[in-house]
Amino acid sequence: MSSKTISIGTLMMAMATTASAEWSFNSGPNPNAFIQTGNTTLELQCNRIRFAPAGYEDSQDIVQKQGLSIRFLKNGTTEVGAFQVGAENAAVQIVDNYPVEVSFNSQEDYGFVLDQLAANASVNLSMIDQDISYGIFYLKGSSAAIQSLRSACDSGARQGASYEAPEGIAYCGGGAVERVIEPVILDTPDGEWDARVSVNGELIRAMTAYSYFGNSKPPAGFVVALLGEDRSEFLIFNEGAENWLEYGDFRYDQCN
């Protein structure tokens, strides 16, 4: 459950890893603002956060709890706001074998998080049920980096709006978050991007990979992998009259 009421309090923090580097912005093809120091990283994308804590066991713990407390600090100790990530407002999963990815269901919620990251001095990513930190990041330079991120994301959204929504097979399914996924391979590629994928109406540019499994034998029915510009991966299958798609840990079956 999200908390958007700003309250003053003193946070007692234990087991925290503090990152002191300055924020940076990467313009693309997948825009992101990030900070990295030592073995901890926090990355902001257009509609999601990726957080690599100090240890893989912390990633596992966050996903097992399906929650993360994002606490905004105006200085080293005083908490001035918080957002509680949970299954009702975001999807939490491990990606690329290590980082935790938090995909927000509501752009309004994510906007609140970005506003607080831009306005405060530090952020504490902690356990959902107690005051134990997975990592603390200073926010020096975050305001400029987030402003650049928002500008790039707005530009990408306007460009995406110029494309018609994909038409073809639609796949439905998911876990706590139900999704309708509609992929299409373009007749005229846009550079390296030769496909589009609509996820609940949001368009993602993607590239096709027909030999995604390298030297390993692909699973039965494998047709093509679509690799999204946001690092998402969609595996499309067909076997007889059955069509399905795999995204994350879930299978999505044809629903049109």
Side-chain angles (χ1 to χ4, degrees):
M1 181 176 183
S2 62
S3 173
K4 297 186 181 180
T5 301
I6 304 301
S7 59
I8 304 299
T10 301
L11 176 65
M12 301 302 294
M13 295 170 290
M15 297 172 59
T17 300
T18 303
S20 58
E22 190 166 338
W23 283 75
S24 300
F25 170 71
N26 179 13
S27 60
N30 178 34
N32 60 83
F34 66 94
I35 184 171
Q36 180 176 7
T37 295
N39 55 358
T40 59
T41 304
L42 180 60
E43 178 183 309
L44 313 175
Q45 298 184 13
C46 290
N47 64 347
R48 68 195 68 202
I49 286 175
R50 285 190 172 187
F51 168 49
Y56 182 67
E57 63 277 6
D58 288 338
S59 295
Q60 292 177 306
D61 189 59
I62 294 168
V63 172
Q64 182 179 7
K65 287 181 168 65
Q66 281 294 294
L68 181 67
S69 181
I70 305 175
R71 301 177 176 184
F72 310 104
L73 311 174
K74 73 175 183 179
N75 51 40
T77 59
T78 306
E79 182 180 329
V80 293
F83 186 93
Q84 306 302 320
V85 172
E88 70 280 359
N89 57 37
V92 182
Q93 62 180 338
I94 293 177
V95 294
D96 297 338
N97 299 321
Y98 183 45
V100 172
E101 181 178 87
V102 177
S103 299
F104 292 82
N105 297 345
S106 164
Q107 199 63 27
E108 181 183 356
D109 284 345
Y110 190 35
F112 170 78
V113 171
L114 292 181
D115 287 344
Q116 296 303 309
L117 290 173
N120 286 293
S122 59
V123 61
N124 171 30
L125 304 181
S126 68
M127 288 187 183
I128 195 71
D129 51 1
Q130 54 187 303
D131 291 344
I132 297 179
S133 294
Y134 298 112
I136 302 170
F137 294 87
Y138 290 122
L139 297 173
K140 182 179 180 181
S142 63
S143 179
I146 289 172
Q147 183 176 1
S148 297
L149 175 68
R150 281 176 151 159
S151 177
C153 293
D154 288 344
S155 176
R158 287 194 296 270
Q159 181 182 14
S162 67
Y163 296 104
E164 294 184 4
E167 296 179 358
I169 296 177
Y171 303 88
C172 300
V177 179
E178 290 290 324
R179 298 182 179 90
V180 177
I181 302 175
E182 299 179 76
V184 64
I185 297 175
L186 303 177
D187 293 330
T188 304
D190 176 17
E192 62 181 339
W193 309 109
D194 58 351
R196 293 285 185 274
V197 183
S198 171
V199 181
N200 288 349
E202 179 182 347
L203 282 173
I204 302 169
R205 295 188 301 176
M207 65 178 70
T208 57
Y210 292 91
S211 57
Y212 182 70
F213 294 90
N215 295 326
S216 300
K217 183 179 179 180
F222 173 72
V223 177
V224 63
L226 302 181
L227 310 179
E229 62 179 322
D230 60 353
R231 301 180 188 173
S232 55
E233 299 172 358
F234 305 88
L235 306 182
I236 297 176
F237 296 84
N238 166 259
E239 199 165 21
E242 191 175 11
N243 294 294
W244 73 95
L245 176 149
E246 292 181 3
Y247 172 55
D249 294 330
F250 300 102
R251 168 173 165 151
Y252 297 77
D253 291 295
Q254 182 177 357
C255 55
N256 64 347

